[in-house]
Amino acid sequence: MANSKYEYVKNFELEDEVMFPNFILVQINGRNFSNFSRLHQLQKPCDENALNLMNSCAVSVLEEYADIVLAYGFSDEYTFVFKKTSKFYDRRASKVLSIITSFFASIFVMKWSDFFPQKELRYSPSFHGHVTSCASVDVLQAYLLWRQNICHATNQYDQCFWRLVKRGMDVREAHDLLKGAEKCNLNNLLFDEFNVNYNTLEPIFRQGSCVLKVVVDDIVKYSNNGVPIKRQRRKIVTMHSKKIAGRKFWNEQTFLLKELGCFVEDIDNVKPEYVKSFEFDSKLIPLTWIVVRIDGCHFHRFSELHEFVKPNDERALNLMNSCAMSVLEEFPRDIVFAYGVSDEYSFILKKTTDLFQRRASKIVSTIVAFFTSTYVVRWKDFFSQSELKYPPSFDGRAVCYPSIEILRDYLSWRQVDCHINNQYNSCFWKLVASGKRKKEAQQSLKGSQLQKKIDELAIDYNSLPAMFRQGSSVFWEKMDNVLTCQQNGKSSESCGRVIVEHCDIIGSGFWLEHPSILEEKQ
């Protein structure tokens, strides 16, 4: 980060560490997946391909992050359990949640064609989630029992509901008929009306999927006399166990016992309120501007592997800008401005927003996941000759700012950072191009005045594209007297269209020209 008089805005950032030795659980859910499944014509009540896609994504998450030892999922939901001693990103809830949600969304898009080769992905899927801080292994056991009970109940209901609808019953009539039905009544209805024995349905539907790490003996070679020589190695497997919170299943998994502990006794019932009380979530302060800043994870490696042009790749920056525009279009009533540079973007939510009841975890995870999936979906639009070699991911955080003045100082801080970092990178890569090694270039620039170095290297800095020097500002361009038709038949004033400009946002000129962006009453 560059030093400037605007640095003080960092003091508004709050730490959200999940204290040791609490277990970290990350639960993610598909956002608006009922619409997603309808648009993509997924089978009802259960689409096995969709479930296997979710499972494959969960396997990839465990492969990518060594600290995750267990995952449980059903429908469009998955929970990831970190080992007890995890220090993953220093246990900061927002960072842990956003990275996992982002990576999952990225993988989901990349693997879509593997499971739905005949179905085009119509729009960017997104997920939201939250962190649960389990105080003990007993709470973890209760949590797993709760989620698998929800899986059972949801599947029983859906099996009955969609069969009734397919037979011709109105959606509302089917809901009314099943409202408050007991478990045994649903089983009887399935058998009596549709000749379906619930217990014979696929376990993946009834019991969900458990993805975990196990230790297996692997044959590495054979001795001279043909005897196999084995070594233990870790392997990720997917199971559909009837009772994942039961002692029998749990205590058979030596890796879970080592990393998470043992279940002392079986439990039959759990109060959801008890488990929910451990959710690590907070509502952001009312009537404050919310800034959600996202950053690319390990984008140095990502840019090198995908051969980004140095010091600035216009394709990569325009891809980021395109994703940011989509985020504003996705949340037209809440996000009023965005500023981006390199692999970073800041989204400004108006101070009166009640998006997700101002729950930090939902806001951050949704924006990060949607941005990530859009990044993957649109990759080919900007890198037509370059294959996406592995899933990109981003982390994010939400910070509240109480006034327009401090909010503008935040944006000034980011633009100053853009300017100084671009000066440094312009010099650094000019030195590398001249034949210096990277370490030599770093030493040459250490402690030097960048403007002086630019003159020495004969870099015509002011002729560089404004996007490189000033970053990108994304906002709604207001259009007078434009009406848009709502689904309910009513009309309201349109937000206009989203545009990108590369301009000075530190001075007052831009804000005087666009006063509606930071209006106090919106």
Side-chain angles (χ1 to χ4, degrees):
M1 296 292 182
N3 293 319
S4 72
K5 67 178 182 179
Y6 306 110
E7 290 274 319
Y8 79 92
V9 297
K10 290 194 291 185
N11 295 326
F12 289 88
E13 297 180 8
L14 300 177
E15 295 299 326
D16 56 351
E17 181 182 348
V18 180
M19 299 302 293
F20 183 82
N22 289 358
F23 295 100
I24 300 174
L25 276 63
V26 172
Q27 183 190 113
I28 66 171
N29 302 81
R31 173 175 166 264
N32 296 333
F33 257 52
S34 57
N35 293 335
F36 182 88
S37 61
R38 182 170 59 252
L39 182 64
H40 292 90
Q41 299 180 332
L42 301 186
Q43 293 182 19
K44 298 293 184 181
C46 298
D47 192 304
E48 194 165 358
N49 284 337
L51 294 177
N52 285 326
L53 170 56
M54 292 288 290
N55 294 344
S56 180
C57 294
V59 170
S60 293
V61 171
L62 266 71
E63 290 173 341
E64 182 73 11
Y65 302 107
D67 281 14
I68 300 176
V69 296
L70 170 70
Y72 174 73
F74 62 95
S75 185
D76 61 348
E77 170 188 315
Y78 244 103
T79 296
F80 298 94
V81 183
F82 287 73
K83 65 183 182 182
K84 187 188 304 184
T85 57
S86 175
K87 294 182 180 178
F88 185 70
Y89 281 97
D90 297 324
R91 302 175 68 90
R92 290 169 58 187
S94 59
K95 199 158 189 177
V96 172
L97 171 63
S98 56
I99 290 173
I100 300 305
T101 312
S102 175
F103 185 82
F104 193 97
S106 189
I107 283 287
F108 189 95
V109 175
M110 292 185 70
K111 291 195 172 190
W112 173 265
S113 60
D114 295 342
F115 294 86
F116 295 98
Q118 306 303 321
K119 293 180 185 288
E120 179 186 0
L121 192 60
R122 304 283 294 277
Y123 68 90
S124 303
S126 66
F127 299 82
H128 57 70
H130 63 267
V131 170
T132 296
S133 174
C134 286
S136 67
V137 71
D138 295 334
V139 179
L140 173 60
Q141 184 181 21
Y143 176 92
L144 293 173
L145 176 63
W146 173 46
R147 297 323 299 160
Q148 191 162 45
N149 285 345
I150 294 294
C151 170
H152 281 295
T154 302
N155 185 60
Q156 282 182 319
Y157 182 93
D158 287 347
Q159 293 289 343
C160 294
F161 175 81
W162 287 107
R163 281 178 169 81
L164 290 171
V165 171
K166 286 178 182 178
R167 195 167 66 179
M169 185 175 287
D170 180 78
V171 169
R172 181 171 293 181
E173 290 177 340
H175 277 306
D176 291 341
L177 176 65
L178 300 177
K179 195 173 183 179
E182 298 287 337
K183 173 182 176 180
C184 59
N185 292 335
L186 292 175
N187 282 349
N188 290 338
L189 187 150
L190 273 175
F191 188 78
D192 294 340
E193 297 292 330
F194 302 103
N195 197 30
V196 173
N197 183 342
Y198 181 78
N199 292 324
T200 63
L201 295 176
E202 292 292 331
I204 191 174
F205 302 155
R206 294 181 289 111
Q207 295 161 188
S209 301
C210 190
V211 180
L212 66 156
K213 294 177 180 178
V214 298
V215 178
V216 298
D217 288 330
D218 194 21
I219 299 175
V220 294
K221 62 180 180 179
Y222 292 88
S223 64
N224 293 333
N225 56 4
V227 176
I229 298 175
K230 298 180 180 180
R231 295 285 186 273
Q232 286 192 332
R233 67 178 181 90
R234 294 177 185 176
K235 182 181 178 182
I236 297 173
V237 298
T238 302
M239 303 179 181
H240 312 292
S241 176
K242 188 175 183 180
K243 291 184 178 181
I244 62 169
R247 284 190 305 163
K248 184 178 186 302
F249 169 78
W250 193 265
N251 294 339
E252 288 174 351
Q253 314 304 326
T254 56
F255 198 74
L256 297 184
L257 292 175
K258 175 186 174 184
E259 299 293 355
L260 301 174
C262 66
F263 293 162
V264 177
E265 57 184 8
D266 285 318
I267 56 175
D268 296 321
N269 298 301
V270 60
K271 293 182 178 180
E273 297 78 13
Y274 168 72
V275 182
K276 288 181 181 179
S277 68
F278 292 93
E279 286 187 12
F280 197 95
D281 200 5
S282 61
K283 287 192 175 182
L284 298 169
I285 302 171
L287 296 178
T288 57
W289 299 91
I290 300 172
V291 175
V292 174
R293 186 169 80 244
I294 70 171
D295 294 274
C297 293
H298 308 299
F299 256 57
H300 287 296
R301 178 167 63 94
F302 183 87
S303 63
E304 287 181 4
L305 185 63
H306 292 91
E307 299 178 336
F308 282 11
V309 177
K310 300 296 184 180
N312 296 287
D313 192 306
E314 196 165 354
R315 300 166 302 170
L317 294 175
N318 283 326
L319 172 55
M320 293 286 291
N321 294 342
S322 177
C323 296
M325 293 174 71
S326 291
V327 172
L328 264 71
E329 290 166 349
E330 184 74 6
F331 302 98
R333 297 183 180 182
D334 300 282
I335 301 178
V336 295
F337 187 79
Y339 176 75
V341 55
S342 185
D343 62 345
E344 168 193 310
Y345 244 102
S346 296
F347 296 94
I348 313 300
L349 283 75
K350 61 186 180 183
K351 65 186 301 182
T352 56
T353 184
D354 196 38
L355 181 65
F356 301 128
Q357 294 76 53
R358 297 179 75 95
R359 290 177 61 187
S361 61
K362 255 193 167 180
I363 292 173
V364 173
S365 57
T366 299
I367 291 175
V368 170
F370 184 77
F371 188 97
T372 307
S373 64
T374 304
Y375 191 98
V376 178
V377 168
R378 297 191 176 178
W379 173 265
K380 278 295 183 183
D381 295 341
F382 296 88
F383 291 89
S384 57
Q385 305 302 316
S386 177
E387 180 186 358
L388 189 58
K389 297 179 181 178
Y390 72 90
S393 60
F394 298 80
D395 65 60
R397 72 185 70 185
V399 185
C400 294
Y401 294 101
S403 68
I404 289 179
E405 291 74 23
I406 297 175
L407 176 64
R408 281 188 52 186
D409 281 351
Y410 168 84
L411 292 170
S412 298
W413 171 48
R414 301 316 309 133
Q415 189 161 54
V416 168
D417 203 55
C418 166
H419 173 65
I420 295 177
N421 286 341
N422 188 60
Q423 282 188 322
Y424 180 92
N425 290 333
S426 296
C427 294
F428 176 84
W429 288 105
K430 185 68 178 288
L431 290 169
V432 171
S434 70
K436 286 186 179 293
R437 290 180 298 178
K438 290 182 180 180
K439 284 188 176 181
E440 292 175 333
Q442 288 172 346
Q443 282 299 118
S444 176
L445 294 173
K446 193 173 183 180
S448 63
Q449 291 185 350
L450 291 175
Q451 187 58 56
K452 185 177 178 181
K453 208 69 178 175
I454 284 173
D455 294 337
E456 290 177 4
L457 294 171
I459 298 173
D460 188 1
Y461 186 78
N462 291 328
S463 68
L464 295 177
M467 180 167 61
F468 301 166
R469 294 179 287 109
Q470 298 179 317
S472 300
S473 296
V474 182
F475 55 95
W476 289 97
E477 182 184 49
K478 294 289 184 179
M479 300 173 68
D480 295 334
N481 300 322
V482 176
L483 297 179
T484 179
C485 183
Q486 303 285 308
Q487 286 186 349
N488 58 12
K490 297 180 180 180
S491 295
S492 63
E493 187 175 346
S494 171
C495 292
R497 65 189 180 99
V498 178
I499 62 172
V500 181
E501 289 190 0
H502 315 293
C503 54
D504 172 31
I505 58 172
I506 298 175
S508 59
F510 174 83
W511 303 107
L512 289 172
E513 188 178 345
H514 304 282
S516 62
I517 293 176
L518 299 184
E519 284 178 347
E520 292 280 3
K521 295 180 181 180
Q522 297 189 45

